[in-house]
Amino acid sequence: MNIPDLEAFVAVVETGSIVGASARLNLTQPGVTRRVQNLEERLGAALLDRQSKPLKPTAAGREAYEQGRRVLRSLEDLRAAVAPGGAVRGEFRLGVMPYLSEAALSVPLDRLRAEFPQLTLRVTSGWSVRLVDQVARSELDAAAVCLPEGVSPPEDVVGEDLGVQRVLLVAAPSLGVPKPATLPELSRFPWIMNESGCGFRVYLRQRFEAERLPFQVAIEALSADLRMSLVARGLGIGILTPSAFADSRWRDAVEVVEAADFQPRVRAWMLHRPPAGRLAQPIATFGDGLAEALALPGPFLA
């Protein structure tokens, strides 16, 4: 099997197009196409669904991608093992869920860059469910995610428990949320949330449904700053981390909602597929840095 052909196929799957793969590999588009066709001929199967936009692998292509990613990682491990001075090189594909991005992309990322300057980082953002699936399929080398309390990562991935994370409920005084508020009282108000797939949103919905209470999401918004601006206008209750609240320009326009019988919490995890190989130390460095960042007390973190 030709390794460049495999690299071209993997690049197409990960970028979703011949154009993206050619840019990543610094090849012409016809060159990428020929390499993918060569691999299909050698394996005797169609690996890409060429009718889909973006390009997606067929069932055989999905298996070829997962196995091919492991082959390429093994080659990267081999290069790292014989590299002068043992320097870690190559790509590190890291996923971070939005709620952890503020903590993850500061000190932990700086520490990773300082200790492994020859490592190329490819950081992507996504919701926990998707990131867990991408790690399991070897599309990501590691991911920092949050899962509802009591939910563990899949058995085929390694998970480092980074501890329980609390989030704050915030609302504008004009909304009239009781102080303190009970869960039934909170269920009477609209909520401003992230898109479906967010671990915190799943936790909230499950908690309300367990008490047979309604949970109305009035507005979906990905940006924390946008959500806070909508909360400040009195359009609903929002949630965010203590550090995000402390840094928000809207903090003086909202107030923290205390609820004696309801304190939403999730557990943060650092995930990767075994074996970590050459990326074992970079993953550990980033995970340790993130755990430290998340453990720092915030102004409203009990």
Side-chain angles (χ1 to χ4, degrees):
M1 182 178 297
N2 189 304
I3 295 301
D5 293 346
L6 184 58
E7 290 175 333
F9 169 67
V10 167
V12 170
V13 172
E14 293 181 348
T15 63
S17 70
I18 299 296
V19 174
S22 66
R24 176 186 291 191
L25 300 174
N26 195 27
L27 290 172
T28 64
Q29 294 178 39
V32 172
T33 299
R34 282 195 299 273
R35 290 188 179 186
V36 173
Q37 291 172 340
N38 290 340
L39 184 63
E40 289 179 319
E41 290 176 4
R42 288 178 180 273
L43 295 179
L47 302 180
L48 292 174
D49 178 1
R50 290 171 171 79
Q51 302 303 314
S52 64
K53 300 292 182 182
L55 286 174
K56 295 181 180 179
T58 62
R62 172 60 58 192
E63 183 65 25
Y65 173 79
E66 293 182 8
Q67 297 293 339
R69 245 300 161 193
R70 295 190 184 99
V71 170
L72 295 180
R73 174 180 284 187
S74 296
L75 289 174
E76 291 169 349
D77 290 344
L78 176 59
R79 294 189 186 103
V82 300
V88 180
R89 296 181 173 85
E91 286 187 356
F92 181 17
R93 300 164 303 152
L94 175 65
V96 180
M97 72 164 295
Y99 275 109
L100 297 178
S101 61
E102 185 172 356
L105 302 182
S106 55
V107 174
L109 192 64
D110 292 342
R111 185 179 299 177
L112 189 63
R113 295 300 305 137
E115 293 188 21
F116 305 97
Q118 299 184 52
L119 196 63
T120 301
L121 294 177
R122 296 189 183 275
V123 182
T124 61
S125 179
W127 299 125
S128 294
V129 173
R130 180 187 175 197
L131 295 180
V132 170
D133 186 54
Q134 287 179 304
V135 171
R137 298 202 310 261
S138 297
E139 293 179 7
L140 290 174
D141 298 309
V145 303
C146 283
L147 301 176
E149 188 72 275
V151 176
S152 298
E155 294 182 356
D156 56 349
V157 303
V158 175
E160 178 189 356
D161 186 350
L162 302 182
V164 173
Q165 307 301 313
R166 181 189 169 191
V167 294
L168 302 177
L169 307 182
V170 293
S174 61
L175 193 62
V177 180
K179 303 176 184 179
T182 64
L183 196 62
E185 289 171 334
L186 291 174
S187 70
R188 300 171 191 160
F189 293 89
W191 291 74
I192 298 173
M193 301 293 300
N194 267 318
E195 299 171 348
S196 181
C198 166
F200 288 117
R201 178 169 170 172
V202 171
Y203 173 89
L204 288 171
R205 182 173 294 281
Q206 290 176 345
R207 185 70 172 82
F208 278 81
E209 290 179 349
E211 300 295 329
R212 299 189 176 183
L213 294 170
F215 178 64
Q216 175 195 355
V217 177
I219 302 176
E220 291 185 350
L222 180 60
S223 165
D225 186 66
L226 175 57
R227 289 197 306 274
M228 278 290 282
S229 71
L230 296 171
V231 170
R233 291 167 54 190
L235 299 180
I237 301 174
I239 66 171
L240 73 169
T241 61
S243 59
F245 178 84
D247 293 338
S248 174
R249 57 176 170 158
W250 305 101
R251 58 172 295 177
D252 293 333
V254 303
E255 58 187 7
V256 176
V257 176
E258 297 294 342
D261 60 345
F262 179 57
Q263 294 186 352
R265 297 173 184 268
V266 295
R267 190 169 292 275
W269 295 86
M270 188 71 188
L271 308 178
H272 69 85
R273 276 290 296 265
R278 69 186 173 88
L279 294 176
Q281 191 53 51
I283 291 173
T285 295
F286 184 85
D288 291 345
L290 180 56
E292 293 175 15
L294 293 174
L296 293 175
F300 294 93
L301 184 56

